[in-house]
Amino acid sequence: DQQVKQNSPSLSVQEGRISILNCDYTNSMFDYFLWYKKYPAEGPTFLISISSIKDKNEDGRFTVFLNKSAKHLSLHIVPSQPGDSAVYFCAAKAGGFKTIFGAGTRLFVKA
Amino acid sequence: DVKVTQSSRYLVKRTGEKVFLECVQDMDHENMFWYRQDPGLGLRLIYFSYDVKMKEKGDIPEGYSVSREKKERFSLILESASTNQTSMYLCASNPSQGGGYTFGSGTRLTVV
């Protein structure tokens, strides 16, 4: 039973356009959400996070939106760059130590 | 530059062997984690530790054990390797107050 779902295995976007990566969750106890980025042959790196008391958090080209009523969050990358091509993991925590990860979405940004 | 270091990038082991995967962090983090990454399944938590000599089972602990004798080191042990343990293994850490993880580069283990 996947508590964090990324239903799109891959996404292709033109350089300069917006990339939107989506994530749905089922556990209403999740109170903290994170996005990680992973290049091949490297470990994931933390990208951006959002607390459940907020609905938006922005960091440069990256913005995360949280819709608690829909149990949905999204990561927007504007403008997209070829170096953004990677696998993006959505993750969630319900207090405590454990972080639950989604299956990942592979983003291709075409030059 | 803060780091989580995994001792091996690639390992090939035989079925039934005892396998040790080592992880060291230099950030004085209290919490350390072992995940495995498989296509279509994302990252799944095997074990974690929130203090020296403390360990907790994650979501898929069967066939694995861990050791944390020192704060900076967290070892994952495959007691008797099986082919279904072929995977990418990722170690991570974060401080006790939480926040994002710092991950190692991963160990790709193949069990033949």
Side-chain angles (χ1 to χ4, degrees):
Chain A
D1 177 31
Q2 283 191 309
Q3 297 184 61
V4 178
K5 300 178 185 179
Q6 294 178 256
N7 292 319
S8 298
S10 65
L11 173 68
S12 186
V13 170
Q14 199 70 34
E15 180 180 9
R17 298 288 185 95
I18 185 171
S19 296
I20 300 176
L21 296 98
N22 292 304
C23 179
D24 297 297
Y25 62 95
T26 57
N27 188 344
S28 57
M29 298 301 291
F30 286 145
D31 60 1
Y32 194 69
F33 303 88
L34 310 96
W35 285 94
Y36 287 83
K37 174 179 175 179
K38 185 182 186 300
Y39 293 117
E42 295 183 14
T45 56
F46 170 69
L47 193 56
I48 192 169
S49 63
I50 187 167
S51 164
S52 60
I53 62 173
K54 294 187 175 182
D55 54 19
K56 177 182 175 181
N57 188 27
E58 194 170 351
D59 183 2
R61 296 186 298 114
F62 302 91
T63 303
V64 56
F65 294 92
L66 175 62
N67 182 334
K68 289 189 291 293
S69 61
K71 294 191 176 70
H72 177 84
L73 66 155
S74 60
L75 175 68
H76 294 211
I77 306 173
V78 183
S80 301
Q81 300 174 355
D84 296 329
S85 297
V87 177
Y88 290 79
F89 290 100
C90 172
K93 297 180 69 172
F97 302 100
K98 289 174 57 173
T99 299
I100 308 297
F101 286 81
T105 296
R106 185 176 297 276
L107 174 65
F108 300 93
V109 180
K110 297 176 288 188
Chain B
D1 192 19
V2 294
K3 275 191 174 179
V4 175
T5 303
Q6 294 183 233
S7 55
S8 304
R9 293 298 298 268
Y10 300 94
L11 276 179
V12 180
K13 296 292 182 180
R14 294 194 179 276
T15 301
E17 276 193 78
K18 191 169 186 175
V19 181
F20 293 85
L21 302 183
E22 305 289 343
C23 175
V24 177
Q25 51 97 2
D26 64 2
M27 296 163 283
D28 202 36
H29 284 170
E30 286 75 20
N31 304 328
M32 297 188 74
F33 307 83
W34 276 106
Y35 283 85
R36 62 179 281 178
Q37 182 195 355
D38 299 288
L41 297 176
L43 279 68
R44 293 179 293 164
L45 181 63
I46 305 171
Y47 266 96
F48 65 98
S49 168
Y50 53 88
D51 201 353
V52 176
K53 296 192 185 294
M54 305 303 289
K55 60 185 179 184
E56 293 283 343
K57 292 180 181 179
D59 299 315
I60 51 164
E62 296 77 20
Y64 303 95
S65 63
V66 291
S67 172
R68 191 159 181 208
E69 296 297 319
K70 294 184 177 181
K71 188 176 185 180
E72 67 270 18
R73 186 179 298 269
F74 192 35
S75 303
L76 179 69
I77 303 152
L78 286 66
E79 299 291 342
S80 177
S82 63
T83 54
N84 63 12
Q85 292 178 310
T86 291
S87 186
M88 168 68 81
Y89 289 88
L90 291 160
C91 176
S93 72
N94 74 342
S96 58
Q97 60 266 37
Y101 292 168
T102 301
F103 279 90
S105 297
T107 296
R108 182 163 294 283
L109 172 68
T110 302
V111 182
V112 297

